[in-house]
């Protein structure tokens, strides 16, 4: 099946270039504007967004057990529906996104690229980073806009998901303390939130 997807005039023998990859995703009904794209990139262990290798394609579909185009479509839909409900699976897609979206010779993501993928991952059909009273994704992006100009390394990328997971369970941020092992950018984000009255337990003033 892989060879039928290749364009002999532009693709290497063992990989699909950007045009062939986009054509394949289109045939699979994948929305490349949201996290569906990242689901397929993780499934096929794509080395970069817009490239699929023969090994990744063959191994990914072999493990899935889906042997036909229709089975591929059904499997992708099933995985997409799991993104917002299966934390372990979301973590796999989230972590692979870092690998697939950085340049080959770089160890970190350009901040603008990281912001694009945070927007995609933490929005439907991905896992919404929101709680009852706070839209954490928008707060995080606003903080970055105001305070952060550096690139995003793997540790920062991974720790943002850990922080997001904990903040979803406890929007008061009581799990955070200044002696913890969080990267400094998260310490700065928590301080930024607290300056705005975000992340504090609500208390009721009682008259004496």
């Amino acid at each position: 099946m892989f060879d039928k997807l290749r364009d002999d005039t532009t693709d290497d023998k063992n990989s699909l270039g950007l045009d062939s990859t986009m054509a394949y995703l289109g045939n699979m009904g994948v929305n490349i504007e949201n996290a569906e794209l990242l689901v397929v990139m993780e499934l096929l262990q794509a080395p970069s967004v817009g490239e699929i290798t023969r090994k990744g394609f063959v191994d990914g579909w072999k493990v899935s057990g889906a042997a036909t185009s229709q089975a591929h479509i059904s499997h992708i839909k099933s995985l997409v529906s799991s993104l917002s409900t299966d934390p372990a699976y979301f973590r796999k897609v989230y972590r692979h996104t870092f690998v697939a979206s950085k340049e080959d010779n770089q160890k970190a993501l350009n901040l603008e690229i990281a912001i694009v993928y945070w927007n995609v991952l933490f929005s439907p059909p991905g896992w919404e980073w929101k709680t009852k009273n706070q839209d954490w994704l928008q707060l995080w992006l606003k903080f970055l806009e105001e305070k952060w100009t550096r690139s995003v390394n793997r540790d920062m990328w991974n720790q943002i998901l850990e922080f997001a997971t904990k903040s979803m369970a406890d929007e008061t941020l009581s799990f955070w303390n200044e002696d913890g092992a969080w990267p400094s950018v998260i310490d700065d984000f928590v301080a930024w939130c607290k300056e705005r009255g975000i992340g504090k337990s609500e208390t009721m003033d009682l008259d004496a």
Side-chain angles (χ1 to χ4, degrees):
M1 185 181 292
F2 182 83
D3 284 317
K4 292 181 180 179
L5 303 174
R6 287 179 54 250
D7 183 335
D8 288 333
T9 63
T10 58
D11 294 336
D12 292 336
K13 180 181 179 181
N14 292 312
S15 68
L16 303 180
L18 179 61
D19 289 344
S20 296
T21 296
M22 291 300 112
Y24 171 66
L25 294 174
N27 290 336
M28 292 295 101
V30 174
N31 185 341
I32 63 172
E33 300 295 327
N34 64 28
E36 292 180 20
L37 168 66
L38 304 178
V39 164
V40 180
M41 295 297 100
E42 192 283 326
L43 171 67
L44 304 182
Q45 290 297 292
S48 64
V49 175
E51 178 186 1
I52 296 174
T53 65
R54 181 186 297 273
K55 180 176 179 6
F57 185 90
V58 172
D59 290 351
W61 287 121
K62 183 177 181 180
V63 170
S64 76
T68 66
S69 293
Q70 192 56 50
H72 287 189
I73 292 171
S74 297
H75 188 66
I76 290 169
K77 287 182 178 179
S78 176
L79 291 176
V80 169
S81 68
S82 298
L83 262 185
S84 61
T85 59
D86 184 340
Y89 177 62
F90 181 83
R91 178 176 281 103
K92 285 175 60 178
V93 173
Y94 181 93
R95 291 195 167 194
H96 183 74
T97 298
F98 180 87
V99 175
S101 56
K102 70 180 181 63
E103 298 292 335
D104 284 343
N105 60 342
Q106 299 294 319
K107 292 185 177 180
L109 276 182
N110 177 284
L111 178 60
E112 287 73 20
I113 297 297
I115 287 173
V116 167
Y117 287 111
W118 275 321
N119 261 310
V120 169
L121 286 158
F122 288 125
S123 301
W127 184 61
E128 288 193 87
W129 188 9
K130 288 182 179 180
T131 51
K132 180 181 178 181
N133 297 303
Q134 304 298 342
D135 186 334
W136 291 104
L137 173 60
Q138 294 308 313
L139 289 170
W140 172 241
L141 297 180
K142 181 67 173 175
F143 163 78
L144 293 175
E145 179 185 334
E146 293 183 9
K147 300 290 186 179
W148 191 260
T149 58
R150 296 161 57 188
S151 59
V152 178
N153 63 26
R154 186 189 297 267
D155 181 61
M156 176 177 168
W157 179 263
N158 289 342
Q159 287 297 312
I160 294 308
L161 177 56
E162 299 309 312
F163 181 84
T165 301
K166 289 182 178 295
S167 65
M168 287 284 286
D170 176 12
E171 68 173 13
T172 70
L173 306 183
S174 63
F175 60 86
W176 176 89
N177 69 77
E178 59 187 14
D179 297 322
W182 297 105
S184 61
V185 64
I186 290 181
D187 293 338
D188 293 344
F189 176 54
V190 172
W192 182 88
C193 286
K194 290 185 180 296
E195 287 172 1
R196 288 155 179 76
I198 300 165
K200 296 178 180 177
S201 298
E202 294 184 3
T203 58
M204 183 180 296
D205 292 329
L206 299 176
D207 292 333

